[in-house]
Every structure is written in C-alpha cells, then in structure tokens.
Amino acid sequence: MVSLILILLGLFAISVPIALALGMASLPYLIERGIPLIAVPQVVFESLDSFTLMALPLYVLAGRLMQFGGIAERLVDLAKALLSWVRGGLAAAVVLTSMLFATISGSSAATAAAVGSMLIPEMEKQKYPRPFSAATTAASGELGVIIPPSVAMIIYGVTTGVSITEMFIAGFLPGLMIGLSLIATVIVISTIKGYGEREAFVLGPYARRVWAATVRASLSLFLPVIILGGIFGGIFTATEAAVVAVVYAMFLSVVVYREIKLSDMPRIFAGAAVTSAVVMIIVAFAAMFGFALHLMRAPQLIGGLLSTLTDNPLIFLLLVNVFLIGVGMFMETFAAIIILGPILAPIAASYGIHPVHFGMIMIVNLAVGMVTPPVGVNLFIACGIAKISMEQLMRPLAIFLAVLFGNLMVITYVPSISLALLR
C-alpha cells in the first residue's frame, strides 16, 4: 500500500493530471496481482453507471444557467438591498449571495466565480481593498459544497453508500452557521477598518428597496424551494430534482427573463459538459484506485493502525481533521472524497461516529481546502477576478481561515449541528 501511495504522490509531483495519476498508480499493482486487464474498464464504467451520479452534470448545468440567465444577478440585488444599511454591507452581501447561490449551484468554484465576477468590481468602486474583496469571495465560495444541493455530497453518498437526501438535510445548519459567522466577520472587519459605504437606515425607503428586490427575485428564490422542498417532501429524488432545476432555470432564463438566447445554449451546454466530464473522469479512475486499495485491505489496515494510536473517538476525529487539512491543501476536493471516503467512513463507523456526521466533517474540511494555498481553487478564481497575486491575498485570508477552522471544530465536536434536522 505504501508503494501505491508513493507512486501516486510522485505522479502528482510531476503534474500528471489527477485522473491519469489515479489510473497509472493502480495499474502496476493490478497487473502484479494477476487481475485481468479486462477488469479495468469494467470497474471504470461500473463506477459511472449510477442513477444518483446523473445528478452531478445536471446541477452543474443548472448553476451555469443561473449564472448567465439573470437568476444570480437578482439574488445579488436582493442581498445588497437587505444589507446596505450596515458597515461592510456589500461584503456581507457577497456572503449572503453565496449562500443563496449555493442552494442551486452545488459547486464551490461556480459560486466563487459567479458571485465574484459580479461583486468584486462593485466592492472596488466602494473603496474596499482588492485583497479583502478577493478573500471574502474565496471564503464564502466554499459554501457552494456545504449548503445543499451539493455535488460533493452526491459524490460522497455514491462512494460511501450514505443517503444523499440525509446529507442534504445535514448540510443546512452547518452551512447556515458558517455563512452567518462569515457575515459577522466581514462586518466587524469593515467597521474596524472603515471599509465600504453605508446607507442611512430609514425604515420606509429601506422596506421599499427590499420589497422591490424581493419581488424581482421571487421567481429565482422559488427555485431552491422547488428543489429542496421536493427532495425533503419525498416528491422526487435528488437526481430527479436536478432535472427539475435545469428545466425551471432554463424556463426563467429563456422565457421569463430573456437573458439567454437559444443561440447561447450550445456554449452553456458545452461549458457544463466540460466541467462535468472532468469530474466524471476523476470519479471513474478513482474507482480503479479504490479497487486496488480494496484488494490491499487498506481500510482494515488503516483502521488497525488508528486503533493502536487511540481508542478515543474525539482524538480520532482530531487526527482525521489534521490529515484532511493537509490533504485539502494539495488535492482536489472531489478526488479526495472519492479516494478517502470509502476508507475513512467505515473506520469512523467503528468508533461509533454517525456516518452522516462524519460525511459533513469530511466535506466541510475539504471545502476549507478550496481556500487554502497552494492549490485552493477558490483562491485562483478570486485572484483572477480581482487581478491580484496570491501573496497579496494571504494577509486578509488568514482571518477568514481562522473563522472557518473554528467552525470546523464546532461541527466536528457538536454532532447535533449536523444531525438535528435528521432527528
């Protein structure tokens, strides 16, 4: 097993794409064990032959339709109207918009890109420092995989056998807690530093602005109600909800808002197809890697090792968090879930940890990895939009990382935050 991991890390070090690295690292061991090569394509294709996994490209497409169809713009306007009266209101609106966008997009990178492209230029007009604007966008973008529906939750459910609907339900309170803590953080920082403009709070004009923005965004707000209400009400599955999301988003974008023309559809569908294909290829070859680890009895070996270190579930969770923080700094989130989920979830269960609670710990932890250097996806997106270097981003980002790590510890050691709605 050690040689397999070393080969994989070596391939990562020489910049071999993740999917190819997973396949290339597995192949020598499978050949050595005498596994017929015909088993390789069988494992790869069987990993994709999943009704649940069909939801992934559909949520990606729904997110792109939101981004280009005027839905995201209306959510931004509503968030700005609600928070315009507080110091740092526009920065807080970035977080609130990310929370609203996350209820449909399911993707951290898509959330950071959509919200950042609309609000970072506006924050610059209000004299927010660009590093602070980028850090706010990157940190709040992680909510895209924590607040349901989440592509990461779908992948975790597919690879570990945990109910995706239960994962969606469990994501609400952690996502709300993280979102509110980030809003409080940007308001405190903005108040201390004097960032942004603040409109005087006069009840009549404020109420009219909020009402107008709510009416304008009402049909957009109805989209997450349809998706999540349908899932939790037992009307349709997570995959069927993804179909409903695409149809409704397309109807709003093309027929009601008329922001998207039929001639734009090929470009939008092609972008969604490319994004989905990248994730699907990683899923397929990670299944091959997982097959090799299964033959090695990796979960049993790692579980035995951990049991010699500690029999205390609290210490086990601390060790897992430290390990996943390190993994998240260097590995793409979906690949980490696919590789490590099937290994760590059974070990966590042996310590008496609820599988849904452990799933939330893993997803929140790896979501933080999207905001940690050197390979945090959200950091590159935010820096690209704000036109700053990664080094300029580090100082304001440190405060957000401290808040995110604090939330992670609370979610880890207070299971009721993840499980309350299930119970």
Side-chain angles (χ1 to χ4, degrees), residues 40-178:
V40 172
Q42 289 176 344
V43 170
V44 167
F45 281 102
E46 282 178 11
S47 68
L48 300 178
D49 185 18
S50 167
F51 176 74
T52 304
L53 200 56
M54 287 173 59
L56 192 153
L58 291 168
Y59 280 123
V60 171
L61 177 57
R64 287 186 67 84
L65 289 168
M66 271 189 67
Q67 185 175 349
F68 295 105
I71 298 173
E73 178 190 348
R74 286 161 172 80
L75 297 179
V76 168
D77 291 343
L78 176 59
K80 286 162 58 180
L82 286 168
L83 297 168
S84 61
W85 59 278
V86 298
R87 173 67 72 180
L90 188 56
V94 171
V95 182
L96 181 57
T97 304
S98 296
M99 295 171 70
L100 295 172
F101 193 88
T103 60
I104 307 168
S105 74
S107 165
S108 175
T111 300
V115 176
S117 62
M118 286 183 282
L119 285 179
I120 286 179
E122 283 206 42
M123 292 179 75
E124 189 172 359
K125 291 177 184 176
Q126 290 196 16
K127 309 302 181 186
Y128 285 90
R130 282 189 288 178
F132 176 76
S133 302
T136 303
T137 302
S140 60
E142 75 151 27
L143 293 166
V145 295
I146 298 173
I147 296 177
S150 162
V151 172
M153 291 178 184
I154 294 170
I155 293 175
Y156 182 83
V158 169
T159 55
T160 63
V162 175
S163 166
I164 294 173
T165 298
E166 290 187 356
M167 288 298 300
F168 281 6
I169 295 171
F172 268 113
L173 292 183
L176 182 62
M177 182 180 74
I178 294 171

Side-chain angles (χ1 to χ4, degrees), residues 337-373:
I337 292 172
I338 295 163
I339 296 169
L340 299 174
I343 296 175
L344 295 177
I347 299 171
S350 70
Y351 280 88
I353 299 166
H354 195 289
V356 174
H357 176 218
F358 185 76
M360 284 308 306
I361 293 171
M362 191 166 186
I363 287 171
V364 171
N365 206 314
L366 293 171
V368 175
M370 296 178 176
V371 196
T372 53

Side-chain angles (χ1 to χ4, degrees), residues 397-411:
L397 182 66
I399 299 173
F400 289 102
L401 287 177
V403 173
L404 294 176
F405 285 136
N407 277 283
L408 174 61
M409 289 298 101
V410 174
I411 291 166

Side-chain angles (χ1 to χ4, degrees), residues 2 24 35 61 68 182 184 339:
V2 174
M24 292 167 64
I35 304 297
L61 177 57
F68 295 105
L182 289 174
I339 296 169

Side-chain angles (χ1 to χ4, degrees), residues 14-27:
I14 60 175
S15 300
V16 175
I18 291 173
L20 291 179
L22 291 168
M24 292 167 64
S26 312
L27 200 57

